[in-house]
Amino acid sequence: MTAITIREVPDPVLETLKLKAAQAGKSLQAYLLDLVTREAAVPTLAEMMARLDRETRTDVSTSDILAAIDDGRERR
């Protein structure tokens, strides 16, 4: 596993993170590892768009859609 160092963290930010870690019953390192792990699991917008593109492909043409609309109107 690799260690990550974050430099120049403002004191108020560090204090807030320490407080949140303590409230969660975790060390600062464990708390930050959880944050980074959750963030890494969130797909990017580009990944979400690619998935949407893959999962929503269809072979329905405009004429198929118009025919279905006409069919629905005729059934009224």
Side-chain angles (χ1 to χ4, degrees):
M1 217 179 270
T2 301
I4 297 175
T5 302
I6 301 175
R7 293 183 173 83
E8 300 179 22
V9 177
D11 289 335
V13 172
L14 179 59
E15 291 307 314
T16 299
L17 290 171
K18 285 181 179 180
L19 178 63
K20 288 183 175 190
Q23 289 172 340
K26 299 179 181 182
S27 67
L28 180 59
Q29 179 177 336
Y31 182 77
L32 292 175
L33 180 57
D34 285 349
L35 283 177
V36 170
T37 301
R38 279 197 312 267
E39 180 60 28
V42 174
T44 64
L45 183 57
E47 291 168 335
M48 290 172 57
M49 294 302 293
R51 179 179 173 191
L52 181 64
D53 192 46
R54 280 192 315 271
E55 294 180 5
T56 59
R57 286 287 177 196
T58 182
D59 293 329
V60 178
S61 68
T62 302
S63 60
D64 292 336
I65 294 170
L66 293 174
I69 292 171
D70 290 339
D71 186 49
R73 287 180 180 156
E74 289 174 8
R75 291 183 186 182
R76 288 186 194 171

